[in-house]
């Protein structure tokens, strides 16, 4: 089997991407954020206090003839930006792009943090990290990919995220029409459960490529690209008026600045992020100061290859043994 679904940016700066999914019988459609940086599938639900729901679609297990309570099971998750949610668990039929998993663990939110309440176009997340990261207790649950794996034509899913446009997620096949040349693969170290791999180096603008191993996680659920301070300062040194602002919590610069491109390596292949992806957003709608899509990872304990980097490539998440990740030019 295979599946293919849209990845729709939720606002005009691609702060996150959502994908239509269906849960239950008859199917209830929700827009969820497919997140390779976590492994919980949770949704706004009929169990979420109405004071915490603001325009989101909700899953009502009571309206599904195939829902089953996973009694005694709970979950609680905290994300890197401080947001979080917790609740109970049902199993039900779950489909993405025509690919169905019966009795998928669907984690129903009984509490969500304010940043989720405020984001009306995001109805929950589908974790596509390794199932070892799942927070359901007393027994952890499998991700949609792990459940779908036995029926997939190929043990892969792919991400084709786009700049200010709708891209796609495919399951079970690699669509040759979505990239040119070959996919370059590199090993994934699946501990502690992220898609952890190394970049082979980087270049700022037309500068020389610096060969250096940079370990981090490819995370479709993170908006920006977080790299070591030395690399980030070398980048913004090329930007007139750039500064690392304590006030804004990162590098800002005049919106009129000319930004260099940023190139990263995967083994011998090179992928260039256009300057426009790094001129991320105005710090406020009327401001002439802009916030960078490349920021320092110091203090995070990990480098994060988020959407700003991933949308510059066609990415293959391969669940083979051993797992690996592949990047193709598009
Ligand atoms: C260590 C880390 C992160 C690790 O991942 C991280 C981050 N970066 N984007 C996101 C996340 C997103 C993407 N996302 C980011 C958003 C921001 C910055 N704002 C203002 C809104 C309204 C957002 C929405 Cl709706 N969605 N989502 C949905 C979740 C649950 C995230 C969790 N963390 N996160 C940050 C900012 N940091 C420092």
């Amino acid at each position: 089997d295979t599946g293919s679904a849209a990845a729709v940016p939720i606002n005009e700066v691609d702060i996150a991407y959502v994908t239509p999914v269906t849960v239950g019988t008859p199917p209830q459609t929700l827009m969820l954020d497919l997140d390779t940086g976590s492994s919980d599938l949770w949704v706004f639900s009929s169990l979420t206090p109405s004071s915490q729901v603001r325009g989101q679609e909700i899953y009502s297990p009571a309206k599904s003839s195939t829902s089953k309570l996973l009694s005694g099971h709970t979950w609680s998750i905290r994300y890197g930006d401080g947001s979080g949610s917790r609740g109970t668990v049902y199993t039900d039929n779950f489909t993405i792009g025509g690919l169905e998993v019966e009795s998928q663990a669907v984690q129903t939110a009984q509490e969500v943090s304010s940043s989720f309440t405020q984001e009306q176009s995001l109805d929950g997340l589908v974790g596509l990290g390794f199932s070892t990261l799942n927070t359901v207790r007393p027994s952890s649950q499998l991700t949609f990919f792990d459940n779908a794996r036995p029926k997939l034509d190929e043990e892969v899913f792919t991400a084709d995220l786009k700049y200010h446009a709708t891209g796609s997620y495919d399951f079970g096949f690699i669509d040759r029409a979505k990239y040119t040349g070959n996919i370059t693969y590199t090993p994934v170290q699946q501990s502690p459960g992220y898609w952890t791999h190394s970049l082979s180096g980087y270049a700022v603008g037309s500068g020389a490529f610096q060969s250096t191993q940079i370990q981090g996680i490819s995370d479709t659920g993170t908006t920006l690209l977080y790299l070591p301070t030395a690399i980030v300062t070398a980048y913004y040194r090329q930007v007139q008026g750039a500064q690392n602002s304590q006030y804004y919590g990162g590098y800002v610069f005049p919106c009129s600045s000319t930004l260099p491109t940023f190139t990263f390596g995967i083994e011998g292949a090179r992928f260039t992020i256009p300057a426009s992806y790094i001129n991320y957003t105005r710090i406020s709608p009327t401001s002439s100061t802009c916030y960078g899509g490349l920021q320092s990872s110091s203090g995070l304990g990990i480098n994060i290859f988020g959407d700003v980097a991933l949308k510059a490539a066609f990415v293959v998440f391969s669940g083979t043994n051993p797992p690996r990740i592949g990047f193709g030019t598009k």
Side-chain angles (χ1 to χ4, degrees):
D1 289 10
T2 64
S4 187
V8 184
I10 65 171
N11 70 358
E12 70 289 347
V13 292
D14 303 345
I15 209 158
Y17 296 84
V18 287
T19 294
V21 310
T22 71
V23 201
T25 312
Q28 301 175 41
T29 299
L30 278 75
M31 299 298 283
L32 304 185
D33 180 356
L34 272 56
D35 175 17
T36 58
S38 67
S39 304
D40 282 39
L41 193 169
W42 72 265
V43 293
F44 274 78
S45 74
S46 50
L47 304 162
T48 314
S50 54
S51 61
Q52 296 179 17
V53 183
R54 197 167 303 152
Q56 291 83 5
E57 293 299 318
I58 64 167
Y59 163 58
S60 302
K63 293 180 181 169
S64 169
S65 60
T66 42
S67 69
K68 289 189 187 68
L69 176 67
L70 199 60
S71 72
H73 285 70
T74 58
W75 58 281
S76 176
I77 194 163
R78 179 71 56 194
Y79 295 101
D81 66 351
S83 64
S85 51
R86 65 172 185 79
T88 47
V89 191
Y90 287 77
T91 59
D92 208 339
N93 298 352
F94 188 88
T95 68
I96 301 180
L99 175 66
E100 177 173 66
V101 165
E102 285 143 16
S103 64
Q104 170 67 44
V106 179
Q107 299 168 220
T108 42
Q110 288 182 311
E111 182 176 23
V112 302
S113 60
S114 58
S115 61
F116 285 117
T117 298
Q118 284 155 30
E119 197 43 64
Q120 65 170 18
S121 37
L122 190 146
D123 305 329
L125 273 74
V126 179
L128 293 174
F130 293 89
S131 294
T132 45
L133 284 180
N134 180 264
T135 75
V136 175
R137 296 297 178 266
S139 42
S140 79
Q141 300 301 303
L142 295 180
T143 65
F144 172 78
F145 179 56
D146 276 352
N147 281 323
R149 213 195 269 256
K151 61 186 345 183
L152 292 179
D153 293 4
E154 218 181 324
E155 282 195 283
V156 298
F157 65 92
T158 68
D160 180 15
L161 301 179
K162 291 183 187 285
Y163 173 72
H164 297 182
T166 294
S168 58
Y169 284 100
D170 295 337
F171 291 85
F173 72 107
I174 297 173
D175 186 341
R176 280 226 46 111
K178 294 182 176 176
Y179 64 95
T180 59
N182 296 317
I183 303 287
T184 301
Y185 288 95
T186 194
V188 158
Q189 169 217 331
Q190 64 184 77
S191 68
Y194 301 110
W195 290 88
T196 306
H197 63 96
S198 290
L199 307 182
S200 53
Y202 70 96
V204 174
S206 55
F209 185 80
Q210 307 296 314
S211 292
T212 173
Q213 292 294 300
I214 307 162
Q215 187 179 85
I217 67 170
S218 275
D219 182 357
T220 56
T222 289
T223 315
L224 306 183
L225 170 58
Y226 296 90
L227 291 177
T229 300
I231 296 175
V232 177
T233 44
Y235 179 85
Y236 287 108
R237 198 177 297 130
Q238 306 298 323
V239 180
Q240 285 287 335
Q243 54 170 319
N244 189 4
S245 158
Q246 305 299 331
Y247 184 77
Y248 293 112
Y251 279 88
V252 297
F253 45 82
C255 297
S256 56
S257 306
T258 303
L259 293 179
T261 59
F262 185 84
T263 297
F264 61 92
I266 297 287
E267 306 292 348
R270 303 286 179 260
F271 299 88
T272 296
I273 303 171
S276 55
Y277 295 17
I278 301 175
N279 193 339
Y280 179 64
T281 187
R282 290 180 186 283
I283 50 172
S284 70
T286 56
S287 173
S288 64
T289 301
C290 278
Y291 192 78
L294 170 62
Q295 295 293 341
S296 170
S297 62
S298 70
L300 305 189
I302 192 169
N303 297 306
I304 307 178
F305 316 137
D307 299 339
V308 159
L310 299 180
K311 68 178 100 167
F314 175 79
V315 188
V316 181
F317 294 83
S318 175
T320 47
N321 191 8
R324 58 184 191 163
I325 192 165
F327 286 72
T329 301
K330 62 189 187 188

